[in-house]
Amino acid sequence: MSTSLTLVSDFTKGRYNLIIYIGIDIAKRGHFASAISSDGKELMKPFKFTNDGDGFQMLHSRLEELSRSGDSIIIGLESTAHYGDNLVRYLVACGYSVCVLNPIKTSVMRKDNIRKTKTDKVDTFLIAKTLMMQDSHRSVSFYDLDLMDLKQLGRFRQKTIKQRTRLKIQLTSYVDQVFPELQYFFKSGLHQKAVYALLKEAPTPQDIAPMHMTHLSHLLVAASHGHFKKEQAKELRVLARKSVGASDNALSIQITNPLKMDFLSHRLSYWIASWTVWMPRWQKS
């Protein structure tokens, strides 16, 4: 018997499998979901589930009940800022076919709706119907999830660089007022490990001037990995004693910001390490 005759026979006997379309409306704290079949019947009224593990498990249980009939399930949701990312990862890991829809497509469907209402419950059906009207569906893959993580890493890196640049500008401004001679003492400028180590412990010339020579030289030698010697430590202490910088406690507190800068540098290092982990996976794709 041909395949087409088999499908007709199955359909007449009530065994023809339909496609179930799940529409999910994404929000920050909770989502709504509903289901319709490919012949337009409402299979599951809109219900709310929380944006956490319990809520995801609740959705999974409801979907399992629908899938017991053997019908295929396709899940659709609108592309949002980030509130639906964890849900998408969860559903893909559970083996569901998940499609992320462009909001423009659902907006067209909403305009065609007679009531033209926009509520979370109504939107679930609009999303499901939009999914049903499409000729083809592109499901989210594990590669797409990796790409989502890569985009987040990229945004994270750009944000970190901007924060670090802003802190460097602030630090230069504060040191210019408190210890203006310092940045000219170090040929490579203020932004190096040895200077940061010095400013963390002694942010003002008044703090540097009374420091024991052994301690000061050890601090510079260790932080610069031997680049600075005891001679530079002696010159620095003399420079601190002659400094014309302002004695301002508020500014000295602000100078300790290199602590934050070091933290940002560690975050950048983490990003670079993550990049090297992802690269081989992309090349194999």
Side-chain angles (χ1 to χ4, degrees):
M1 184 180 293
S2 66
T3 304
S4 59
L5 291 177
T6 302
L7 291 176
V8 171
S9 176
D10 287 345
F11 182 79
T12 57
K13 294 178 181 179
R15 295 200 305 266
Y16 185 71
N17 292 339
L18 301 174
I19 299 177
I20 299 174
Y21 296 99
I22 309 296
I24 299 179
D25 187 71
I26 300 296
K28 183 176 182 179
R29 294 186 177 181
H31 316 308
F32 278 88
S34 65
I36 61 175
S37 63
S38 52
D39 58 1
K41 293 182 179 179
E42 179 183 320
L43 301 179
M44 184 171 66
K45 291 185 178 296
F47 71 94
K48 185 176 183 180
F49 61 97
T50 53
N51 189 22
D52 54 27
D54 292 338
F56 292 0
Q57 183 59 48
M58 175 185 176
L59 174 65
H60 183 39
S61 299
R62 298 290 295 270
L63 295 180
E64 282 186 322
E65 292 177 6
L66 290 176
S67 63
R68 287 174 183 172
S69 61
D71 297 330
S72 300
I73 291 180
I74 301 178
I75 301 172
L77 50 86
E78 287 183 318
S79 176
T80 55
H82 61 274
Y83 299 127
D85 289 354
N86 291 332
L87 178 60
V88 170
R89 290 189 180 92
Y90 175 84
L91 292 173
V92 172
C94 289
Y96 291 107
S97 176
V98 182
C99 301
V100 179
L101 302 176
N102 190 322
I104 295 177
K105 293 183 178 180
T106 53
S107 177
V108 172
M109 182 66 70
R110 188 175 294 109
K111 289 179 181 178
D112 293 337
N113 186 27
I114 297 177
R115 295 181 179 179
K116 297 189 185 316
T117 55
K118 187 185 186 309
T119 65
D120 296 333
K121 294 181 179 181
V122 172
D123 276 357
T124 61
F125 285 120
L126 289 175
I127 293 170
K129 290 178 180 178
T130 302
L131 197 61
M132 184 173 61
M133 295 294 290
Q134 291 187 338
D135 295 330
S136 60
H137 305 96
R138 185 187 181 281
S139 299
V140 177
S141 64
F142 285 104
Y143 172 78
D144 294 323
L145 296 179
D146 288 348
L147 202 58
M148 288 169 57
D149 291 335
L150 172 61
K151 289 180 180 179
Q152 289 182 354
L153 284 172
R155 290 191 291 266
F156 165 66
R157 178 177 180 271
Q158 292 299 323
K159 182 178 180 180
T160 302
I161 290 175
K162 289 180 180 179
Q163 289 176 333
R164 189 176 66 174
T165 301
R166 184 170 62 251
L167 284 174
K168 283 185 176 181
I169 294 172
Q170 290 177 353
L171 175 63
T172 301
S173 173
Y174 297 146
V175 173
D176 279 345
Q177 298 175 69
V178 175
F179 197 175
E181 304 87 353
L182 185 63
Q183 62 176 316
Y184 303 106
F185 177 79
F186 294 99
K187 294 181 180 180
S188 299
L190 294 176
H191 307 293
Q192 51 183 302
K193 290 183 178 180
V195 180
Y196 290 169
L198 172 67
L199 293 177
K200 287 176 189 176
E201 185 167 334
T204 68
Q206 291 78 20
D207 296 320
I208 299 173
M211 289 182 70
H212 194 280
M213 183 52 57
T214 301
H215 179 65
L216 179 59
S217 61
H218 175 73
L219 188 152
L220 292 178
V221 171
S224 66
H225 299 288
H227 179 73
F228 295 111
K229 308 296 182 182
K230 187 175 182 178
E231 291 72 20
Q232 281 88 3
K234 290 180 179 179
E235 294 174 7
L236 178 61
R237 191 170 66 172
V238 171
L239 191 66
R241 290 172 176 174
K242 295 181 179 180
S243 177
V244 296
S247 178
D248 191 324
N249 291 331
L251 287 174
S252 66
I253 294 173
Q254 293 297 323
I255 287 177
T256 57
N257 270 339
L259 286 170
K260 297 180 181 180
M261 202 175 306
D262 275 355
F263 174 67
L264 292 176
S265 297
H266 287 309
R267 293 173 73 185
L268 275 177
S269 298
Y270 167 77
W271 182 87
I272 295 171
S274 299
W275 179 280
T276 58
V277 171
W278 288 116
M279 282 301 293
R281 298 179 63 176
W282 303 327
Q283 292 171 353
K284 293 177 182 178
S285 300

